[in-house]
Amino acid sequence: MTFPTIEIALPEWIEKALPDESKVYPRFEDRMDLVIALARQNVDAVTGGPFGAGIFDMRSGRLIAPGVNLVMSANYSVAHAEIVAMMLAQKRVGTYDLGADGLPPMELVSSTEPCAMCLGAVVWSGVRRLVCGARDTDARAVGFDEGPKPDDWIGALEARGITVLQDVGRAASIQVLEDYAARGGVIYNPRQGAFGAKEN
């Protein structure tokens, strides 16, 4: 039996959006502005959902890898912006552990708080800090299913040495979510994880 190869490819417009690989983003706000701009472009180009993310070197502010939501274009339910950014960063630095010895401390900047799946991935990724724009409730307000997250998910991350910052650029990120919904953007996973009668 032969199985297909799994590939994750960023949209073509990403290279034009990020022409200068040496550019640094010194402040949280600068990094968030970038990932929100990526989320906005993803919506405008109709290449995915209204979410952007990036893995950054915490010391230098250099972007290690960007991510945008590719759920519909790639047909992978797991291709959320955070997952894409983490996978590309891990590929780029040559290890599954972004907290490995010899690497600078890294952070994940996400235009919206992570869903249940991405929250788990943050734990295993090796990042030291998570910076969030819009909140879980903002994503749910336009119809997205964020899954069953622990009430004290921030405390759970911080207990593992991962600092969490919320509401960085929240208003701008909410605007991208609302604009996507107003344009009739697909709210994928609309069943909210619910199924009908059990099959025998």
Side-chain angles (χ1 to χ4, degrees), residues 69-131:
N69 181 282
L70 301 173
V71 169
M72 293 174 296
S73 59
N75 283 322
Y76 299 137
S77 62
V78 298
H80 290 195
E82 300 96 323
I83 299 288
V84 171
M86 285 185 270
M87 290 174 66
L88 290 175
Q90 290 161 347
K91 188 73 170 178
R92 186 170 190 192
V93 301
T95 176
Y96 59 85
D97 183 5
L98 296 177
D101 290 342
L103 291 178
M106 297 191 196
E107 70 181 2
L108 170 63
V109 179
S110 180
S111 65
T112 303
E113 288 179 2
C115 67
M117 174 185 69
C118 294
L119 178 61
V122 167
V123 171
W124 308 129
S125 69
V127 298
R128 309 287 179 84
R129 183 162 58 206
L130 170 64
V131 182

Side-chain angles (χ1 to χ4, degrees), residues 25-166:
Y25 303 85
R27 303 178 308 135
F28 300 130
E29 294 84 358
D30 300 326
R31 299 168 199 173
M32 184 59 71
D33 286 347
L34 174 64
V35 302
I36 291 173
L38 294 177
R40 167 70 65 191
Q41 183 64 30
N42 208 37
V43 171
D44 291 344
V46 195
T47 47
F51 304 98
I55 298 290
F56 294 84
D57 178 328
M58 288 171 56
R59 291 175 181 159
S60 70
R62 185 172 63 91
L63 175 67
I64 304 300
V68 292
N69 181 282
L70 301 173
V71 169
M72 293 174 296
S73 59
N75 283 322
Y76 299 137
S77 62
V78 298
H80 290 195
E82 300 96 323
I83 299 288
V84 171
M86 285 185 270
M87 290 174 66
L88 290 175
Q90 290 161 347
K91 188 73 170 178
R92 186 170 190 192
V93 301
T95 176
Y96 59 85
D97 183 5
L98 296 177
D101 290 342
L103 291 178
M106 297 191 196
E107 70 181 2
L108 170 63
V109 179
S110 180
S111 65
T112 303
E113 288 179 2
C115 67
M117 174 185 69
C118 294
L119 178 61
V122 167
V123 171
W124 308 129
S125 69
V127 298
R128 309 287 179 84
R129 183 162 58 206
L130 170 64
V131 182
C132 309
R135 293 203 175 199
D136 176 291
T137 51
D138 303 323
R140 291 181 195 272
V142 299
F144 284 102
D145 179 6
E146 297 299 279
K149 289 167 58 177
D151 289 338
D152 187 23
W153 64 270
I154 294 175
L157 289 184
E158 292 185 339
R160 290 174 175 265
I162 302 168
T163 304
V164 178
L165 298 177
Q166 292 179 289

Side-chain angles (χ1 to χ4, degrees), residues 172-188:
S173 187
I174 290 173
Q175 190 64 59
V176 176
L177 295 171
E178 291 178 345
D179 289 350
Y180 178 80
R183 293 182 187 188
V186 176
I187 306 296
Y188 47 84

